[in-house]
Amino acid sequence: PLQTPPQQHRKERQKPPSTQKPPPEKSQQTSERPSKLPQPPPPTTMIPSPPDSSWPDAWLMPPAECTDQKAPNRRSPNVPVTAPQLRSLGISYWHLDPSSHSYPPLAVPWNPQDSPDPHLSQLRDERGYSYADIITVHPDTLPEYEAKVKSFFEEHIHDAEEIRYVLGGSGYFDVRNEEDEW
């Protein structure tokens, strides 16, 4: 799972499955940022974070607006962001193996107490999570797929810590750093 602190996200960009249509038209985005964002509690979980070399790839995006929000949008040359830099933003990362557990393709809301994974339950309990939902980002399984995917591209603020547990596939999560770069 990738835990992000309460902060401003520009968008959550999904890599398209092969059956996906081209990305929706670009939405209006704001560059205003609150002066002070709430800070998450310090990590307290007993589940160890993997070594820095095992964290997902992260990089700075080009300063110009993205033309394809489903593309990696790396600078040229690439400017990597390290695990310590991500941690300094309040981002945590854990790797849990979902292969021995079964999850529904859609459950909104999903009771996190229904988790069959003891490690996920431990994370939930230690960090005080009380709400969850499960979605499969695919036209066949996500109601109002196009509208939902479009909403991922809109800049928005999360006022509470949240976790993303990616069971399959991949996606992009854009956050601002201390220099207001994505």
Side-chain angles (χ1 to χ4, degrees):
L2 179 69
Q3 171 268 318
T4 59
Q7 62 184 8
Q8 193 161 357
H9 291 252
R10 178 163 54 183
K11 54 201 166 274
E12 298 169 1
R13 300 179 288 138
Q14 299 292 323
K15 289 183 181 178
S18 59
T19 60
Q20 202 170 37
K21 295 178 182 176
E25 292 193 27
K26 191 189 290 191
S27 60
Q28 191 76 0
Q29 297 177 357
T30 176
S31 61
E32 292 181 24
R33 184 175 191 184
S35 59
K36 185 67 177 164
L37 296 169
Q39 292 301 307
T44 58
T45 184
M46 298 305 294
I47 299 173
S49 183
D52 290 357
S53 61
S54 296
W55 278 53
D57 286 340
W59 56 88
L60 290 181
M61 296 174 64
E65 199 60 43
C66 299
T67 58
D68 180 358
Q69 294 174 316
K70 294 181 182 179
N73 293 302
R74 295 177 190 253
R75 291 183 181 184
S76 181
N78 186 42
V79 181
V81 177
T82 66
Q85 290 170 309
L86 292 171
R87 279 193 294 273
S88 77
L89 295 172
I91 296 172
S92 300
Y93 173 71
W94 297 276
H95 182 269
L96 305 179
D97 181 11
S99 63
S100 59
H101 307 290
S102 175
Y103 294 91
L106 183 68
V108 180
W110 178 66
N111 185 342
Q113 294 179 339
D114 293 340
S115 173
D117 182 342
H119 292 103
L120 185 58
S121 295
Q122 181 182 354
L123 258 177
R124 177 204 66 222
D125 294 345
E126 290 178 355
R127 299 190 73 85
Y129 299 136
S130 61
Y131 178 84
D133 56 16
I134 296 176
I135 63 171
T136 300
V137 183
H138 191 275
D140 295 340
T141 55
L142 185 61
E144 301 178 22
Y145 170 79
E146 290 296 331
K148 184 65 174 173
V149 169
K150 186 175 182 179
S151 75
F152 290 152
F153 299 144
E154 295 172 3
E155 183 172 339
H156 55 282
I157 295 175
H158 294 270
D159 60 358
E161 181 178 295
E162 67 175 39
I163 194 166
R164 294 289 189 233
Y165 188 17
V166 180
L167 300 174
S170 59
Y172 300 106
F173 297 88
D174 303 343
V175 296
R176 294 183 198 230
N177 65 13
E178 289 95 355
E179 289 78 39
D180 207 28
E181 297 174 296
W182 296 99

